Amino acid sequence: MKISKVLILASLVCAASLADQIKIAGSSTVFPFSSYVAEEFSVVKNKKAPIVESIGTGGGFKAFCSASGKNGIDISNASRPMKMSEFEECLKNGIDDISGYMIGYDGIVFAQNKDNGSLNLTKEQIFLALAKEVPIDGKLVANQYKKWSDIDKNLPNKEISVYGPPTTSGTRDSFEEQLMQKASKKFKEYGYKSGKYSQIRDDGVYIPSGENDNLIIAKLAQNKNAFGIFGYGFLAENKDKIVAVAIDSVSPNENSVGDGSYELARSLYFYVKNSSKASNPDISEFIDLFVSESMIGNDGVLKSIGLIPLNKELFAKMQENVKNPTKLTKDMVKNSEILK
């Protein structure tokens, strides 16, 4: 009987401890930045480090919107804005007080083994390599391109093999929107789908590689014929192994991503349940640290691991948003906004 009481007490203590520990899930791109801040939070505040999981932007929002309280996710990392369907799922489950924060910029890179040297591809060439259907002789047919040189004789004579994010990934969503859909505008054969076509081939040429982008880096280090799709931060951390392809003659770097001249630039976010903040003061302290000058400022430490800082105006707005959080509304979600 005594043992039972001890076990019950230990379980209650453990449950209380986990309930107080901040739980974060979502984007693999934001994961390294969030993890760094979590570790710093533990050291600086002398508290348990938040639990951070890399399950993709879509997976993060699914977990975030499925439950509140001690069983739910407090913060959802995202490499794209929340979708209306995700917001409505939150509302359906009684999660209606959410605030969003932009932490900086990132670029989606198309990279290869460093030993291959530099390469320039157009959006259209990448599109033709990856689209499920391609225009040939005025008709759309199943993609028959096996080698890059099949698309353009001036491209490398090697098989098309691309490791990329799964459908749960915000990086995949952004890639489909910013490259696939835009490139489809160049081909009249897509008709009413022009500017909307984003279907990626599923014949083994494109290889979904999970939410751990470091695995893609490892595969590129071993396979000189392959390309990979992931966030700029992973490129910045692995320049000894990989090199980014220039897209339409623009290479991804801090300047081209920050000023938007690199067309696959995007913003990074995290979303917070304000009910979690109210019940756990640690969350407010974590947010304060995350959006601080020392973390995401122009000379912040996250810049050294690949985060492209916000400009001064947006950084000031984010600071103000932390002091006076904006509650997310349907109109804001519809317009992909986090600030009124």
Side-chain angles (χ1 to χ4, degrees):
M1 189 68 174
K2 289 182 179 179
I3 293 176
S4 299
K5 287 182 178 179
V6 170
L7 288 174
I8 291 170
L9 180 59
S11 297
L12 290 172
V13 170
C14 182
S17 176
L18 287 174
D20 291 338
Q21 198 166 5
I22 302 169
K23 294 180 282 296
I24 305 168
S27 167
S28 62
T29 303
V30 181
F31 176 77
F33 309 128
S34 192
S35 296
Y36 187 99
V37 179
E39 291 176 13
E40 190 72 6
F41 178 80
S42 177
V43 172
V44 173
K45 303 295 183 180
N46 194 27
K47 295 180 178 180
K48 286 187 176 181
I51 300 168
V52 187
E53 294 183 273
S54 174
I55 58 175
T57 297
F61 281 134
K62 184 176 181 179
F64 181 81
C65 293
S66 64
S68 57
K70 65 181 181 181
N71 296 319
I73 298 298
D74 303 305
I75 297 174
S76 185
N77 292 330
S79 58
R80 60 161 172 78
M82 180 181 279
K83 296 178 180 178
M84 182 61 74
S85 59
E86 292 161 338
F87 184 63
E88 288 177 342
E89 182 66 18
C90 274
L91 296 180
K92 186 178 80 173
N93 293 317
I95 301 166
D96 60 358
D97 191 359
I98 303 166
S99 293
Y101 302 89
M102 188 190 300
I103 61 168
Y105 303 110
D106 173 64
I108 301 172
V109 301
F110 199 76
Q112 61 176 335
N113 188 295
K114 188 176 182 181
D115 292 345
N116 290 336
S118 61
L119 178 65
N120 178 57
L121 295 172
T122 66
K123 289 192 300 295
E124 290 74 32
Q125 288 169 339
I126 297 173
F127 173 83
L128 291 174
L130 296 180
K132 187 171 184 177
E133 300 168 292
V134 294
I136 294 180
D137 296 330
K139 297 180 180 180
L140 288 182
V141 299
N143 197 328
Q144 302 171 7
Y145 296 126
K146 301 299 183 184
K147 296 183 177 182
W148 288 95
S149 54
D150 293 340
I151 297 170
D152 186 320
K153 63 181 180 179
N154 296 313
L155 293 179
N157 182 27
K158 63 181 183 181
E159 290 187 358
I160 302 169
S161 180
V162 180
Y163 295 103
T167 54
T168 54
S169 169
T171 298
R172 169 86 171 243
D173 290 336
S174 297
F175 181 81
E176 290 177 353
E177 179 182 343
Q178 293 178 256
L179 189 140
M180 300 295 287
Q181 291 183 12
K182 285 185 178 179
S184 75
K185 291 180 181 180
K186 299 287 185 176
F187 304 97
K188 66 180 186 304
E189 289 86 351
Y190 290 98
Y192 74 92
K193 293 181 180 179
S194 178
K196 299 177 182 179
Y197 190 90
S198 62
Q199 286 183 275
I200 291 178
R201 61 197 299 182
D202 55 7
D203 57 356
V205 169
Y206 180 89
I207 307 158
S209 303
E211 297 292 354
N212 185 348
D213 291 346
N214 284 313
L215 292 179
I216 298 179
I217 305 296
K219 289 172 182 176
L220 297 185
Q222 296 172 354
N223 185 353
K224 292 185 179 181
N225 288 326
F227 291 86
I229 300 170
F230 42 82
Y232 173 80
F234 289 87
L235 172 69
E237 286 284 280
N238 294 279
K239 289 185 176 179
D240 59 324
K241 302 184 187 80
I242 55 174
V243 62
V245 169
I247 298 179
D248 291 330
S249 300
V250 180
S251 296
N253 55 49
E254 183 182 333
N255 293 328
S256 64
V257 171
D259 65 18
S261 57
Y262 181 69
E263 291 192 59
L264 299 189
R266 57 181 175 167
S267 302
L268 301 179
Y269 310 85
F270 65 82
Y271 290 75
V272 182
K273 289 174 185 162
N274 290 319
S275 59
S276 293
K277 281 174 59 181
S279 62
N280 186 355
D282 286 356
I283 294 176
S284 292
E285 291 188 56
F286 176 79
I287 294 171
D288 287 342
L289 178 62
F290 205 146
V291 301
S292 67
E293 181 80 41
S294 65
M295 287 292 153
I296 68 169
N298 195 52
D299 295 314
V301 67
L302 296 187
K303 181 178 178 180
S304 67
I305 58 173
L307 182 69
I308 309 299
L310 300 169
N311 60 42
K312 289 183 178 180
E313 182 181 354
L314 274 176
F315 180 76
K317 285 184 178 180
M318 282 302 102
Q319 293 290 307
E320 180 59 33
N321 195 28
V322 171
K323 295 176 184 176
N324 300 292
T326 301
K327 180 179 177 180
L328 212 59
T329 65
K330 282 193 174 183
D331 283 343
M332 291 165 65
V333 174
K334 181 180 179 180
N335 296 315
S336 298
E337 297 173 345
I338 56 172
L339 294 171
K340 290 181 180 178

